[in-house]
Amino acid sequence: AKGDGRGKHKIYEPSMHSEASDRQVLENDLRQALDRDELWVAYQPVVHASTEQVCGFEALVRWNHPVRGPISPAKFIPLAEECGMIPKIGKFVLQAALKEAAAWPDHVRIAVNLSPIQFNDPGIAEMVGTLLKESGVRSQRLELELTEGVFLSEGALTDETFAKLKEVGVRLALDDFGTGYSSLGYLKKAPFDKIKIDQSFVRGAASKTNRNSAIIRAIVTLAETLGMDTTAEGVETHDDLNLIRELGCSQIQGYIFGKPMPGEDARALANLSVVE
Ligand code: C2E
Ligand code: CA
Ligand code: CA
Ligand code: CA
């Protein structure tokens, strides 16, 4: 019934009301989640495709709701973006992640997701620089993961922010590559160091048609030509792993090597890794 404006009467749907109030309740809970220590950060290993050595971790925020249990970030991050909580949550994740990374060997990188809302904050580069200094982590060890969302409200600020972040010295990754409408245009515009190939191309690629492989191969070739690394996300099976290796991705992230884990476990794993 929603959005159907062709002369029909609006029909009251109880489900609409309860969905709205459910959101409201969750939003209120989210506002208090940080103060109540309900948020924590998990770390998923990223490995070199050739040697399977850990080269870094991606920080992924977690919410342990006191009543509902764990709530997926796919659900609460959009909520946080809408209700104005994302700057606070994003800063919390960055701080926590840098603190962990400071305890890892120097060659192990930390990747942190940056919401478009954070990216569009004129003070973002300065904040990242300050947090890096406080943590003592070398700026080249931090990789910020951006999605095409950062280009949607494109203005003069976009170029300036990219330039400032490069000045701070962090690495930039284009996340969820291939899922948007004009990914190629974005590659041209911004100084990315890495492309993260979206799970929708990777997961089950070995059992899918050759088209999937062709797309992955093309992305890898493109990235190599532009001097960028590639990470294949969502590698779960040995068949997919073998295929992804053959296709030349430089790095791999997926359940086959490790799910997102608590900082303590990540630290143990990081300390096992050796320099390539
Ligand atoms: P993303 O940035 O694309 O992160 C990768 C997601 O894929 C993670 O889900 C990870 O657990 C999952 N994943 C990795 N390997 C596999 C695999 O082999 N199989 C399957 N089935 N899944 C795999 P997660 O942690 O639930 O996060 C979902 C999304 O929430 C993230 O997607 C990201 O967009 C957002 N997110 C998470 N943490 C943060 C954060 O701190 N800040 C922001 N802005 N967004 C975040
Ligand atoms: Ca990501
Ligand atoms: Ca991704
Ligand atoms: Ca995603």
Side-chain angles (χ1 to χ4, degrees):
K2 203 181 151 202
D4 185 348
R6 286 166 299 175
K8 283 184 187 166
H9 291 291
K10 232 183 178 171
I11 298 164
Y12 175 73
E13 287 176 40
S15 66
M16 276 167 61
H17 172 73
S18 61
E19 254 173 51
S21 62
D22 183 64
R23 261 184 89 80
Q24 197 58 54
V25 171
L26 206 59
E27 198 178 298
N28 287 338
D29 291 349
L30 187 57
R31 284 182 198 286
Q32 316 195 49
L34 258 183
D35 293 334
R36 294 182 173 171
D37 289 331
E38 293 164 12
L39 298 186
W40 62 282
V41 182
Y43 301 88
Q44 185 178 28
V46 180
V47 308
H48 285 291
S50 48
T51 60
E52 299 189 8
Q53 284 287 325
V54 172
C55 51
F57 290 86
E58 179 176 2
L60 294 157
V61 68
R62 296 288 178 261
W63 182 12
N64 225 339
H65 191 282
V67 178
R68 304 186 197 203
I71 297 179
S72 164
K75 181 167 184 177
F76 75 81
I77 289 291
L79 198 65
E81 288 175 333
E82 280 167 44
C83 75
M85 284 295 294
I86 198 70
K88 261 194 171 174
I89 293 176
K91 187 174 180 185
F92 163 78
V93 174
L94 193 54
Q95 255 170 332
L98 287 172
K99 193 175 168 189
E100 285 301 326
W104 303 339
D106 186 71
H107 67 276
V108 180
R109 291 199 168 112
I110 177 69
V112 178
N113 294 284
L114 208 64
S115 156
I117 293 176
Q118 291 176 275
F119 182 85
N120 285 321
D121 177 340
I124 185 66
E126 202 189 339
M127 189 201 51
V128 169
T130 304
L131 293 185
L132 272 166
K133 276 208 191 86
E134 283 172 10
S135 70
V137 171
R138 220 165 24 91
S139 59
Q140 270 291 300
R141 292 179 63 200
L142 174 62
E143 189 164 78
L144 297 177
E145 298 195 359
L146 307 170
T147 59
E148 295 175 3
V150 304
F151 296 103
L152 291 181
S153 61
E154 209 187 347
L157 190 66
T158 313
D159 291 343
E160 204 179 310
T161 300
F162 276 116
K164 279 192 195 161
L165 285 172
K166 283 278 102 181
E167 211 171 290
V168 170
V170 298
R171 288 166 52 92
L172 300 173
L174 183 52
D175 204 355
D176 300 344
F177 187 80
T179 56
Y181 291 104
S182 54
S183 312
L184 290 179
Y186 299 135
L187 279 187
K188 195 178 66 179
K189 278 181 199 162
F192 290 108
D193 302 284
K194 175 191 276 189
I195 293 175
K196 296 194 79 172
I197 304 175
D198 192 69
Q199 307 193 13
S200 56
F201 298 107
V202 175
R203 199 161 348 127
S207 58
K208 285 182 187 161
T209 62
N210 291 331
R211 289 175 158 243
N212 259 49
S213 310
I215 292 170
I216 296 171
R217 195 189 301 275
I219 297 174
V220 170
T221 305
L222 178 71
E224 278 175 356
T225 308
L226 296 171
M228 301 180 202
D229 290 335
T230 42
T231 298
E233 271 191 298
V235 179
E236 292 183 351
T237 67
H238 279 103
D239 285 350
D240 288 342
L241 175 62
N242 289 333
L243 176 66
I244 293 297
R245 272 213 187 102
E246 267 170 41
L247 295 174
C249 282
S250 48
Q251 291 161 16
I252 290 165
Q253 182 178 351
Y255 290 175
I256 193 166
F257 290 115
K259 291 190 173 179
M261 58 185 81
E264 207 183 330
D265 298 346
R267 192 181 295 201
L269 197 56
N271 282 312
L272 290 175
S273 81
V274 296
V275 188
E276 283 283 288

